[in-house]
Amino acid sequence: AKQYIVSQYRCEPVGEDILKLTFDVGGGRSQVLFVTWSGPSAEEARFLDLHSPIGRVEQLDLHAAVRRTSQFVIGGLSMLGEVVTLRHCAPLENLDRNEIDEPMHRLLGIADELEAELTGRDDF
């Protein structure tokens, strides 16, 4: 999965085994996606984790964020440090390209929508 992502997308390494991808989502907005792996390292991981930030904890009405995310078929709220993210996990065993690309693009769209709606900003 890591080789596929690196070969298909412009990635910036951020720390050990974390990739940062930035996408143009239209309307002058961009959205960040962090790719991590659940396990001791990317080579020994069992799950691919996709995180797209929607705002800092202090910026968000978490009740409203939880209510909004319950309407989507993909993504749940999580945190990376003090940043609230929309997160999707996929098992790496037998993972196909479409099981990376489709959730990634859906997550980006939803996270950007939530960031705009809940913070009125485009920080991520």
Side-chain angles (χ1 to χ4, degrees), residues 48-67:
L48 172 72
D49 293 329
L50 306 174
H51 296 265
S52 193
I54 61 172
R56 298 194 182 286
V57 173
E58 67 273 4
Q59 293 175 312
L60 293 173
D61 173 347
L62 292 178
H63 186 263
V66 169
R67 186 173 48 249

Side-chain angles (χ1 to χ4, degrees), residues 1-7 19 35 37 42 48 91-92 95-96 100:
K2 185 175 184 178
Q3 287 180 333
Y4 172 74
I5 292 169
V6 169
S7 72
L19 297 175
V35 180
W37 289 265
L48 172 72
L92 285 169
L95 190 65
D96 292 326
I100 296 172

Side-chain angles (χ1 to χ4, degrees), residues 6 12 22 24 34 39 46 95 101 103 113:
V6 169
E12 175 186 338
T22 304
D24 179 345
F34 292 101
R46 298 189 60 185
L95 190 65
D101 294 330
E113 179 183 326

